[in-house]
Amino acid sequence: MFYANLNELWKDAGKALTIKNGEVKVTNPKALQGPLTERLAANSSVSKDAGVKATAKFLIRGAARALGIEPSSVHSLYIAVGKKKAKGGYTCPACNLRALTFESARAMFRLGKKIKASGFLFEIAKSEIGYTFQPPEEYATQILAGAIREGWKGPVFIQGDHFQINAKNFAADPEKEKASLKTLIIEGLGAGFYNIDIDSSTIVDLSKPTLEEQQRLNAEVCAEMTAFIRKNQPKGIEVSIGGEIGEVGHKNSTPEEFRAFMSEYNKALAKHGKNLKGISKISIQTGTSHGGTVLPDGSIAKVAIDFGALKTIGEIARKEYGIGGAVQHGASTLPETEFGKFVECGAIEVHLATAFQNLIFDSPNLPKDLHDRMYQWTSTNCAGERSAGQTDEQFFYKSRKKAFGPFKRDFFTMNPKNLKAVAKELEAKFSLLFTKLNIGGNASDVSKTVKLVKVPYDAVHVKEKLSIGADEEGE
């Protein structure tokens, strides 16, 4: 599976790919869209040879373009839905893929083709980038490789989730913390993250006397990041930007808070330039928490979601501000019966993560040896995260995700039979969610509102960029 050197890579890739005038050309699509793509995907992620890793990434990105696959923005789709210029009637799933990213992406693309849906997103949060060892360029590469393998054509929506301001760091040095987030934004844009959720809800100050004052810092930082993205986004791309008014796991959001945020946000954005396009959606808190609340026996506590707030704020977002609507976070561990309600209350997007992680860890098809080694690693390396009185079930449920990065290579080398079985389980989960969220047929809205843009791709820059630091972080 792994190439010993670049000569081996080129000998294999040459069966289907060539380079002409700096661009990748697909000479044999059938040969590419099979095990060759799987080998390139594996090497682009966990090869121990920096040159092999960088070249595999470049070939995947270039081959995707040659086959009509392009990272894109949902901005125009969401605005069209918000202004009722698109059919709508669905909630777009945004899936955080912490492990088995290539196989998960394949499953999502297969389903998309089957149900004529393309309005779904692949996302990864700032924190997940760190502990899963998936820098933006690598994450995007795995998604595009999945698209190639499944014969996908058209837009692919890759999203930076919770590109977040750290409240403690912000209090110590606001400019340094903002600069750090801007660096991540630039890296994301370079990788094809044309959908970015800015989360500065962490600096909402509820001690202030008025809602406007409470939301002001959040709004100003979100506006600054919006202007920064607009300045740096590729020509022809209007990046979809999300704002957030309520930190997940904290107090539920209200319509009054949303209006206060938008008032402050629009004033702040105007100071950065005329006619800058703002956010296309707003994330709110409705009673959920990331990963759910874990009980001592390891089960998840039932959550009462404030669907009324989700519906009301979404309607205000569309009618008063012309944006797509409200976004639900922390939802994947909810009962399956709840997901249809997101469509009923007009949620434009829902973020899903932990259920996929739990499925992988708890699958009877995950090799026991790998499962046990990951748990042992967690026990040793995450011991400091264990709270007093926390049961084993609570500790491992919360901390085991940290093992995905150190064991990333093991997932690529898993027994093919086990890998296929786990992938089948994931596809069944995606299928259920896609059905409940009613995205079947939304490819029609996407094709009418989203234009494919071929963003210039500097091969030399990308190769150099990808070979720096990735091995230190991921292996």
Side-chain angles (χ1 to χ4, degrees):
M1 174 182 284
F2 296 108
Y3 305 118
N5 49 52
L6 281 171
N7 287 335
E8 280 194 10
L9 183 155
W10 283 114
K11 184 177 180 181
D12 193 23
K15 301 170 185 175
L17 302 170
T18 188
I19 306 292
K20 187 175 182 180
N21 297 325
E23 293 187 2
V24 178
K25 303 294 181 183
V26 179
T27 57
N28 189 335
K30 187 176 181 179
L32 173 65
Q33 294 166 325
L36 172 55
T37 295
E38 296 171 20
R39 292 191 290 273
L40 289 173
N43 280 273
S44 73
S45 176
V46 296
S47 172
K48 295 180 179 180
D49 184 304
V52 167
K53 180 182 285 190
T55 302
K57 288 175 182 174
F58 172 64
L59 290 176
I60 289 170
R61 181 69 173 257
R65 164 156 296 172
L67 294 171
I69 304 165
E70 290 288 349
S72 301
S73 166
V74 294
H75 178 89
S76 55
L77 171 66
Y78 284 6
I79 297 300
V81 170
K83 294 182 177 181
K84 296 185 177 181
K85 293 183 179 180
K87 183 180 178 181
Y90 46 81
T91 299
C92 295
C95 300
N96 300 60
L97 307 179
R98 297 170 179 168
L100 290 175
T101 303
F102 171 65
E103 294 295 341
S104 297
R106 287 185 62 187
M108 290 173 67
F109 285 122
R110 281 197 300 272
L111 284 169
K113 290 176 68 176
K114 182 178 179 180
I115 64 175
K116 294 181 171 58
S118 57
F120 49 86
L121 299 90
F122 305 87
E123 67 177 5
I124 188 165
K126 177 182 176 182
S127 59
E128 292 168 330
I129 288 170
Y131 66 73
T132 67
F133 299 171
Q134 294 188 99
E137 188 73 32
E138 179 178 318
Y139 186 76
T141 299
Q142 294 299 302
I143 303 303
L144 294 175
I148 292 170
R149 183 67 175 86
E150 296 304 323
W152 183 262
K153 289 189 183 298
V156 174
F157 303 111
I158 306 172
Q159 180 159 278
D161 179 30
H162 285 298
F163 273 32
Q164 191 176 75
I165 289 290
N166 181 289
K168 184 178 179 180
N169 293 344
F170 186 86
D173 190 335
E175 295 306 316
K176 182 178 180 181
E177 178 62 10
K178 288 189 292 184
S180 175
L181 186 54
K182 289 176 180 178
T183 298
L184 179 60
I185 287 170
I186 290 296
E187 186 177 357
L189 291 174
F193 283 43
Y194 300 147
N195 309 276
I196 296 177
D197 282 357
I198 300 300
D199 182 6
S200 45
S201 67
T202 51
I203 53 175
V204 169
D205 188 349
L206 297 179
S207 70
K208 298 292 185 181
T210 69
L211 293 176
E212 286 76 14
E213 289 175 289
Q214 291 174 13
Q215 292 289 336
R216 185 164 294 146
L217 261 183
N218 176 22
E220 289 176 348
V221 171
C222 186
E224 182 177 341
M225 296 302 158
T226 299
F228 182 79
I229 291 170
R230 296 289 176 240
K231 179 181 178 181
N232 290 281
Q233 65 191 10
K235 185 177 180 180
I237 297 284
E238 199 73 70
V239 170
S240 173
I241 302 172
E244 186 159 344
I245 59 170
E247 190 174 356
V248 177
H250 293 258
K251 186 182 79 71
N252 283 11
S253 303
T254 67
E256 293 75 20
E257 286 174 326
F258 174 51
R259 288 192 175 102
F261 169 83
M262 289 303 294
S263 174
E264 294 298 315
Y265 173 77
N266 286 333
K267 285 190 292 186
L269 188 61
K271 295 177 182 178
H272 290 281
K274 294 182 179 179
N275 303 317
L276 285 178
K277 288 194 169 92
I279 60 174
S280 62
K281 56 186 177 178
I282 188 72
S283 293
I284 67 172
Q285 167 59 1
T286 62
T288 60
S289 62
H290 288 304
T293 299
V294 189
L295 299 176
D297 64 356
S299 62
I300 305 299
K302 293 183 179 179
V303 175
I305 291 186
D306 189 350
F307 284 103
L310 194 63
K311 181 177 182 179
T312 300
I313 294 175
E315 289 175 347
I316 293 170
R318 289 184 287 273
K319 293 178 181 178
E320 298 183 19
Y321 302 101
I323 63 177
V327 177
Q328 173 69 48
H329 283 265
S332 67
T333 56
L334 294 174
E336 295 172 356
T337 54
E338 298 284 89
F339 283 91
K341 295 180 182 178
F342 293 124
V343 180
E344 293 172 12
C345 67
I348 191 66
E349 183 178 292
V350 61
H351 291 209
L352 309 163
T354 305
F356 313 134
Q357 165 189 299
N358 292 348
L359 185 154
I360 293 169
F361 269 115
D362 301 335
S363 171
N365 296 298
L366 184 70
K368 185 177 186 302
D369 173 66
L370 175 56
H371 176 277
D372 291 349
R373 285 188 292 118
M374 292 179 77
Y375 265 60
Q376 182 57 54
W377 183 95
T378 303
S379 181
T380 301
N381 292 275
C382 301
E385 299 176 13
R386 189 161 191 157
S387 303
Q390 199 174 42
T391 65
D392 284 347
E393 287 80 7
Q394 289 173 312
F395 168 68
F396 283 112
Y397 186 91
K398 282 291 189 181
S399 300
R400 61 186 180 176
K401 63 186 179 183
K402 302 287 181 66
F404 279 139
F407 289 86
K408 184 169 62 171
R409 189 180 181 93
D410 294 78
F411 281 98
F412 279 103
T413 57
M414 191 188 301
N415 182 295
K417 183 178 179 180
N418 293 87
L419 181 60
K420 185 176 181 180
V422 175
K424 188 174 181 180
E425 292 179 74
L426 284 166
E427 185 167 355
K429 185 67 174 179
F430 289 129
S431 180
L432 184 150
L433 293 169
F434 283 18
T435 299
K436 292 286 187 181
L437 297 173
N438 201 39
I439 67 168
N442 76 3
S444 175
D445 274 0
V446 172
S447 66
K448 292 175 182 176
T449 59
V450 177
K451 180 183 177 182
L452 290 187
V453 177
K454 292 186 177 183
V455 176
Y457 192 58
D458 186 335
V460 175
H461 168 69
V462 171
K463 285 182 181 179
E464 290 177 347
K465 174 184 170 185
L466 290 173
S467 66
I468 296 173
D471 288 333
E472 296 175 11
E473 184 176 75
E475 312 230 305

